[in-house]
Amino acid sequence: MFPSFRSVFMAGWALLSFVVFLNPVLGLNNGVAKLPVLGYNTWNAYQCDIDEDLIVTTAKLMKSLGLQDAGYSHVNLDDCWAEKNRTSTGAVVPDTVRFKSGMKALTTQIHALGFKAGIYSDSGWFTCAGYPGSFEHEEQDAQTFFQEWGFDYLKYDNCAKYQRMADAIASVSQNFKLKVVFSLCEWGWSQVWLWGSQMGHSWRTTGDIGPNWPSLTAIINFNSFITQATDFYGRNDLDMLQLGNGGLTYEEAKSHFTAWALMKSPLLIGTNLSAITNDILGILKNTEILAINQDPVEGSSISPFRWGINPDWTSNDTYPAQYWSGPSQNGTVVMLLNTLDGPSDLFFNLTESPWIRAGRQYSDLWTHTDNGTAVRNFTAASVAPHGVVALLLKDAGDEPSNIYPDCAVWFQCTAENGTHVGG
């Protein structure tokens, strides 16, 4: 009898997790992108309907809406910016109507507004939309993009041919003393370690995101098994932010942003900023959540410490892990995710998180508020359907005396003289 797909799938995850544990992923350390990139990408909101005026207008909106002040530093073009054919010398050229002023003029305007500029290409002969890819033109395109046009970031699509462009970027960067962010769009876990960790600053781990809750939970589920792959200079890319594009409730939008930020994914806005609501803008500018994404001391992602609805290590696209935690420079980060369609209480013992010490009490600093002190456990009551709770727990000293049982882990409670105590 052949093994089920599920058993093979989970066995593969277990092996992969073991490999990552033995060999932590280190991203491309070339002096840039130590932290996740914050910025804007044109694809989700506009796809091929882009031109130079739209890009400059978007950069100005990011500035006027306070997104630049919140840390969003990049304005990136996606597919469809080029002419369909290269020149006789093999050069790729921008669309002469939609980018009539040329790319150097565009990056000059973006830089003058205080942003960095990003561009898109593909590892094959063609991009996904049918424009020229960089295959067999890697060195030429790298010089064009970065040295001639002045771009600072490259989103590179398709799969399994990244070494050529990685080498080209390294050569151009060294020759012209440039610092370039290289973002790989791979869409598959098998390449996360084989390709991305050696060649890029971030690597896509799934297919394109959709503006709906099932798409978000599937991406969260997938990435819950590979959080070890994220640290300084290299990280899992969960795809662009879909906030404000319709299809998500306000609570779902908060969960989307919180999960992406705390898993240390790049945060690239994909919204029509001219139509953005104050609610969505408030989510994007949540300074407490952004500070954890941009933590200069702790580069790792949060990870599940309990799955919740399902047994631990269960892969379920509809009901991913609910209980997550990780370190930060200011305390232990906790994310509680309600994947149910109705309100739910989310309870956990503090010491379930590997980052929390037994025998201590913790002050709960949540976004914009101080919710008091937690001792041994915490309950988030009536979390909204598809909603999220984000906590930052700081050590607040010894537990109060006379708490029963004597220890948080009561069945392994030992007194100073070595004898077992408690219930």
Side-chain angles (χ1 to χ4, degrees):
M1 181 176 179
F2 291 105
S4 67
F5 171 79
R6 181 181 180 79
S7 65
V8 173
F9 176 81
M10 294 311 297
W13 277 127
L15 174 60
L16 206 53
S17 297
F18 178 68
V19 171
V20 173
F21 179 75
L22 291 178
N23 297 288
V25 170
L26 298 175
L28 181 62
N29 183 355
N30 65 348
V32 298
K34 175 183 178 180
L35 302 175
V37 169
L38 308 184
Y40 188 90
N41 183 283
T42 58
W43 184 256
N44 283 359
Y46 302 105
Q47 296 193 7
C48 285
D49 190 18
I50 58 174
D51 58 34
E52 60 187 39
D53 292 335
L54 172 69
I55 306 305
V56 174
T57 297
T58 297
K60 290 178 178 178
L61 279 170
M62 289 182 69
K63 198 176 184 77
S64 65
L65 292 170
L67 290 166
Q68 185 181 62
D69 289 340
Y72 294 89
S73 58
H74 283 68
V75 179
N76 300 339
L77 288 77
D78 211 285
D79 206 347
C80 310
W81 56 265
E83 288 286 333
K84 284 295 185 76
N85 296 298
R86 292 177 177 269
T87 68
S88 59
T89 62
V92 64
V93 293
D95 186 293
T96 55
V97 175
R98 293 183 289 118
F99 294 91
K100 58 183 180 296
S101 301
M103 289 304 190
K104 181 60 177 177
L106 179 62
T107 61
T108 297
Q109 291 185 76
I110 293 173
H111 290 154
L113 290 167
F115 294 100
K116 295 184 183 297
I119 197 167
Y120 167 98
S121 191
D122 193 284
S123 64
W125 290 110
F126 299 97
T127 69
C128 294
Y131 292 81
S134 291
F135 184 58
E136 294 190 348
H137 292 274
E138 289 86 0
E139 187 84 23
Q140 185 177 25
D141 286 357
Q143 183 167 338
T144 298
F145 296 156
F146 310 121
Q147 196 272 325
E148 296 178 17
W149 290 351
F151 282 99
D152 312 284
Y153 174 108
L154 174 64
K155 175 183 174 182
Y156 205 52
D157 223 334
N158 214 335
C159 58
K161 300 172 190 163
Y162 295 130
Q163 185 67 61
R164 295 166 63 97
M165 181 54 83
D167 290 345
I169 290 176
S171 174
V172 171
S173 298
Q174 183 176 11
N175 291 339
F176 297 99
K177 298 191 181 344
L178 304 174
K179 293 184 177 181
V180 176
V181 179
F182 191 25
S183 175
L184 311 183
C185 190
E186 166 51 39
W187 331 307
W189 65 266
S190 64
Q191 303 300 331
V192 169
W193 297 275
L194 298 178
W195 301 102
S197 63
Q198 301 300 316
M199 304 175 198
H201 298 105
S202 63
W203 39 83
R204 277 276 300 283
T205 56
T206 63
D208 289 350
I209 191 173
N212 56 74
W213 182 246
S215 178
L216 302 187
T217 57
I219 292 172
I220 292 170
N221 174 64
F222 191 95
N223 284 272
S224 68
F225 296 95
I226 55 174
T227 57
Q228 305 97 320
T230 285
D231 211 329
F232 291 133
Y233 298 107
R235 57 201 53 88
N236 296 326
D237 182 349
L238 281 59
D239 201 10
M240 290 170 277
L241 295 172
Q242 283 282 31
L243 283 68
N245 285 333
L248 295 177
T249 67
Y250 174 68
E251 294 297 334
E252 290 169 347
K254 284 176 59 181
S255 297
H256 176 17
F257 179 77
T258 302
W260 265 234
L262 300 190
M263 281 195 270
K264 303 294 180 76
S265 174
L267 301 178
L268 294 174
I269 302 167
T271 304
N272 181 343
L273 292 181
S274 64
I276 196 171
T277 66
N278 287 332
D279 283 345
I280 297 301
L281 189 61
I283 294 172
L284 291 169
K285 293 167 64 176
N286 186 317
T287 54
E288 287 88 349
I289 299 295
L290 288 171
I292 295 169
N293 180 266
Q294 296 291 295
D295 191 328
V297 176
E298 295 286 352
S300 59
S301 164
I302 58 170
S303 299
F305 61 83
R306 174 155 50 94
W307 261 246
I309 293 175
N310 298 299
D312 290 350
W313 298 103
T314 298
S315 177
N316 189 318
D317 281 354
T318 304
Y319 301 108
Q322 295 183 284
Y323 298 87
W324 303 62
S325 68
S328 82
Q329 65 173 331
N330 293 315
T332 298
V333 180
V334 176
M335 182 178 76
L336 309 176
L337 188 66
N338 180 16
T339 60
L340 298 175
D341 296 333
S344 179
D345 293 347
L346 296 175
F347 166 90
F348 70 98
N349 292 313
L350 297 186
T351 51
E352 287 186 83
S353 166
W355 309 107
I356 290 183
R357 294 169 57 200
R360 311 292 289 175
Q361 58 183 345
Y362 285 81
S363 60
D364 160 26
L365 302 176
W366 192 58
T367 53
H368 314 302
T369 62
D370 184 342
N371 292 339
T373 302
V375 179
R376 296 199 177 176
N377 59 66
F378 182 92
T379 299
S382 299
V383 180
H386 302 172
V388 71
V389 172
L391 308 172
L392 181 60
L393 301 181
K394 296 187 177 184
D395 193 324
D398 292 335
E399 289 181 350
S401 58
N402 301 319
I403 296 179
Y404 185 82
D406 295 313
C407 298
V409 185
W410 60 268
F411 53 87
Q412 291 182 329
C413 190
T414 305
E416 290 182 9
N417 63 6
T419 61
H420 177 76
V421 298

